[in-house]
Amino acid sequence: RIKQEWNLILECRKKGIPQSKYLKNGFVDITEKNLDTPGKTPQLKKRHALSDGVNKEQNKFIFQLSGEQWTELPDSLKEQIYLKEWHVYNTLIQTIPAYIALFKDLRVLELSKNQINHLPAEIGCLKNLKVLNVSFNNLKSVPPELGDCENLEKLDLSGNMEITELPFELSNLKQLTFMDVSANKFHSIPICVLRMSNLQWLDISSNCLKDLPEDIDRLEELQTLLLQKNKLTYLPRALVNMSKLNLLVVSGDDLVEIPTAICESTTGLKFVSLKDSPVERIVCEDTEEIIENEREREQVEKEFMKAYIEDLRERESTPSYTTKVMLSLQL
């Protein structure tokens, strides 16, 4: 016991723990379990203080807004042109003001799940913008000026339900690596997308595609291609030439022709053929209500697919060809 007490005392002295912490009524308390805490506390406090200071400094450059009580952006926002990030979601805001052109340092523009019906041409002034997310709004088109955002790396236009084409000017987005245009009304992959040379992720699921371009292998850096919930009847052989493609997801119901090399790929390609289960829809007179129901269903399905894809990537032993995965969601 004496040896234990001396070892404890020596250990406490090495760590700078005061006697009051290990003495109880004048005797050494060898049952003390939190002896490490006092010695580390000053350093931890210092570390937390530094961390809090950094967070406070970063928060000065981030604007956040949410809640259906908001129908427009606050007037005071136009005075905060030093901001680097906007995070506006779940509001009833319909328009983005032209003064957004003043925010030259803006890096992230997250505007998902609002009621935005158009993007201003002034968005092209955001030369430093890296992330633009306008998913699940009411957009029907995209301004060609968006092509001037030459440093854009991530573009999410999913869930707007009505976008049918993209301006050719978006071909200038050479830094873009992630693009999501799912849950819209594209009848073909836009030409501008085929010219995005650094694209690694393309989600064009839940559209109206009937075929893929024969030169889709121009997307040499593409790793993930999501095509489920379209009306594809065949897949072009050009997909075999895409050496970096490691995940291809399609809806297998209408497919009658699939290049054998895709199913027998030795490059680690995971080819997933989903079976689309028809979702029972309640017919109602209000068209807007139908669209909202579809939009809500698309949100749920996207969360499911995100989890499913993450699971696929983690399971390296998954067969390269997975067939007929039932996807059935009913709201």
Side-chain angles (χ1 to χ4, degrees), residues 6-253:
W6 270 110
N7 287 337
L8 182 66
I9 292 170
L10 289 173
E11 189 68 18
C12 289
R13 287 180 178 176
K14 285 181 183 178
K15 296 181 178 180
I17 300 174
Q19 288 185 358
S20 58
K21 295 293 182 181
Y22 58 84
L23 291 180
K24 188 174 182 181
N25 297 325
F27 296 94
V28 178
D29 183 10
I30 60 172
T31 63
E32 177 66 270
K33 302 297 182 183
N34 300 316
L35 293 179
D36 289 340
T37 305
K40 292 185 178 180
T41 299
Q43 189 65 24
L44 286 173
K45 284 183 177 178
K46 185 177 180 181
R47 199 175 299 161
H48 285 310
L50 287 172
S51 178
D52 291 343
V54 170
N55 288 336
K56 287 180 180 177
E57 187 65 23
Q58 290 177 341
N59 287 337
K60 289 180 181 178
F61 301 99
I62 299 175
F63 171 70
Q64 295 186 350
L65 188 71
S66 65
E68 294 187 353
Q69 69 272 24
W70 294 100
T71 57
E72 58 184 22
L73 293 168
D75 290 336
S76 59
L77 182 59
K78 67 179 69 172
E79 301 170 5
Q80 304 176 52
I81 58 175
Y82 54 84
L83 290 171
K84 294 184 178 180
E85 297 185 18
W86 284 19
H87 296 269
V88 180
Y89 53 94
N90 287 327
T91 74
L92 298 180
I93 293 173
Q94 297 184 15
T95 59
I96 301 301
Y99 66 66
I100 196 172
L102 302 174
F103 290 76
K104 302 296 184 183
D105 292 328
L106 206 60
R107 303 289 197 277
V108 176
L109 190 53
E110 291 271 359
L111 304 171
S112 62
K113 301 178 184 178
N114 297 292
Q115 300 295 320
I116 299 169
N117 50 42
H118 81 280
L119 292 175
E122 287 77 8
I123 199 168
C125 298
L126 306 179
K127 303 297 184 182
N128 292 309
L129 193 66
K130 292 183 179 296
V131 176
L132 174 60
N133 183 350
V134 280
S135 61
F136 295 96
N137 280 280
N138 296 321
L139 295 178
K140 294 184 178 180
S141 62
V142 176
E145 288 81 5
L146 183 59
D148 295 332
C149 298
E150 54 195 25
N151 288 303
L152 199 63
E153 297 175 0
K154 179 178 179 179
L155 176 59
D156 192 341
L157 299 168
S158 63
N160 281 282
M161 311 303 286
E162 297 292 333
I163 303 177
T164 59
E165 59 184 15
L166 295 176
F168 183 77
E169 286 79 359
L170 267 60
S171 301
N172 298 326
L173 302 179
K174 301 301 184 183
Q175 303 302 315
L176 204 68
T177 60
F178 177 101
M179 186 166 195
D180 190 343
V181 290
S182 61
N184 280 291
K185 289 186 177 178
F186 289 97
H187 290 270
S188 60
I189 295 181
I191 294 176
C192 64
V193 173
L194 296 174
R195 285 165 170 72
M196 295 173 179
S197 53
N198 279 312
L199 204 60
Q200 298 176 16
W201 175 296
L202 175 59
D203 187 349
I204 193 167
S205 59
S206 299
N207 276 279
C208 305
L209 302 185
K210 292 185 178 179
D211 53 35
L212 297 178
E214 294 296 334
D215 60 343
I216 193 171
D217 53 356
R218 295 180 59 162
L219 299 173
E220 296 179 351
E221 299 297 318
L222 199 65
Q223 299 175 14
T224 300
L225 178 56
L226 306 183
L227 298 166
Q228 70 274 14
K229 295 186 69 177
N230 280 288
K231 295 297 180 183
L232 297 172
T233 56
Y234 76 97
L235 297 178
R237 185 169 178 77
L239 289 169
V240 179
N241 303 328
M242 303 172 70
S243 59
K244 295 189 177 181
L245 188 65
N246 55 44
L247 179 61
L248 173 62
V249 182
V250 300
S251 291
D253 301 59

